[in-house]
Amino acid sequence: MASTSRDAHLNKVCCYSHPEAPLIEDYRAGDMICSECGLVVGDRVIDVGSEWRTFSNEKAGVDPSRVGGPENPLLGGGDLSTMIGPGTGPASFDAFGAAKYQNRRTMSSSDRALIAAFKEISTMADRINLPKTITDRANNLFKQVHDGKNLKGRSNDAKASACLYIACRQEGVPRTFKEICAVSKISKKEIGRCFKLTLKALATSVDLITTADFMSRFCANLDLPNVVQRAATHIARKAVEMDIVPGRSPISVAAAAIYMASQASDNKKTHKEIGDIAGVADVTIRQSYRLMYPHAAELFPDDFNFFTPIDQLPPV
């Protein structure tokens, strides 16, 4: 076994015969091996992985891990506080049977509020299948709002819901207020208020939502083919460019465009089916469709293969 080799110019571990070759780490033996010649250039490497494998469905309630969870920079002190386990011996209880040592004494009220909010954000994100990048951004937004103390008097759940909504908008995968409200315990009106206050407090902004932001998700949930999705996207974009639907929300315009495109194809969907997916009332879809119907010939793409001709589309 060769001793640790170091480059003459750079202070790094490498093979002296192949300085640029990547090294392979053997976690079982704790060796660093050259990928070109197999020379062991480092030994007794510290394994920074998990000591134990834990599963959520284990019958025993004892956690074998002795190092705790990963460091959380969003918490005060980096979440390096001591967590006291439940006592089992007589020395763990006082004369009245109460536990002498409790975790509440080792964690500040601010950290407890942050942990509860992070858990709520993670739960909401899991229920609507949001990736971890959005959860992390929402956690950072909530940390800034919490530290700034600009939204005093608002519930933490409302602030967490507003932060998740803003994170979705900033990451380019916007969700509607109704979708956030469906997985939250807060009303739509309260989330909207916290949303405006949070943007003002953090001096940040979000991009305007467009019909294209929702089209692919709505069409996928309705099991519509790509041809119908492309036609609906074209219809919605042309309707906005021609200023046919002034004052209408992008969600209602997208729902009306999907309805028009599906009625012209062999995959027809009703107002109610589209409304249930988009979270829009049937009347709202009909109102947007009424504005778009007279211009149907101009809205459809030129290469669209009509199953139902334009003159046979459902009347207003």
Side-chain angles (χ1 to χ4, degrees), residues 85-94 97-101:
T88 56
S92 301
F93 302 95
D94 59 15
K100 293 181 179 179
Y101 308 104

Side-chain angles (χ1 to χ4, degrees), residues 72-119:
N72 190 349
L74 297 178
L75 298 178
D79 194 23
L80 297 177
S81 57
T82 302
M83 301 297 290
I84 303 172
T88 56
S92 301
F93 302 95
D94 59 15
F96 301 98
K100 293 181 179 179
Y101 308 104
Q102 299 177 2
N103 286 321
R104 186 171 293 271
R105 297 176 185 171
T106 64
M107 187 181 300
S108 66
S109 60
S110 177
D111 281 357
R112 283 198 299 274
L114 287 174
I115 290 174
F118 295 161
K119 185 177 180 181

Side-chain angles (χ1 to χ4, degrees), residues 115-125 157 160-161 183-185:
I115 290 174
F118 295 161
K119 185 177 180 181
E120 180 68 18
I121 290 173
S122 178
T123 302
M124 291 189 292
D157 289 342
S161 301
V183 297
S184 176
K185 297 174 284 188

Side-chain angles (χ1 to χ4, degrees), residues 6 69 87-88 112 121 158 162 218 237 241 247-248 253 257 259 264 272-273 277 285-286 294 300 303 306:
R6 297 188 179 274
T88 56
R112 283 198 299 274
I121 290 173
F218 289 169
R237 186 176 67 250
E241 290 174 356
R248 297 289 171 179
V253 174
Y259 176 74
K272 188 176 187 312
E273 290 176 308
I277 294 297
I285 298 177
R286 290 195 187 97
F300 276 94
D303 57 349
F306 288 92

Side-chain angles (χ1 to χ4, degrees), residues 133-210:
T133 53
I134 296 179
T135 304
D136 293 340
R137 181 180 282 270
N139 289 343
N140 276 290
L141 290 172
F142 186 90
K143 171 71 171 176
Q144 296 176 40
V145 172
H146 184 268
D147 290 348
K149 299 180 180 179
N150 298 309
L151 274 69
K152 279 189 174 181
R154 303 287 177 179
S155 69
N156 285 339
D157 289 342
K159 290 186 285 187
S161 301
C163 290
L164 183 62
Y165 177 79
I166 295 173
C168 291
R169 292 273 295 269
Q170 291 181 343
E171 289 291 330
V173 285
R175 294 298 188 267
T176 64
F177 275 118
K178 287 188 177 180
E179 289 178 294
I180 300 296
C181 185
V183 297
S184 176
K185 297 174 284 188
I186 309 300
S187 66
K188 178 183 173 184
K189 182 181 293 186
E190 183 63 19
I191 295 175
R193 287 173 182 163
C194 284
F195 164 67
K196 293 179 181 178
L197 292 172
T198 302
L199 290 182
K200 184 178 180 180
L202 300 181
T204 185
S205 61
V206 292
D207 295 333
L208 293 175
I209 58 175
T210 62

Side-chain angles (χ1 to χ4, degrees), residues 1-5 13 30-33 39-45:
M1 180 187 303
S3 60
T4 301
S5 304
V13 178
D31 296 335
M32 297 288 289
I33 304 172
L39 179 69
V40 177
V41 297
D43 60 340
R44 297 184 180 180
V45 178

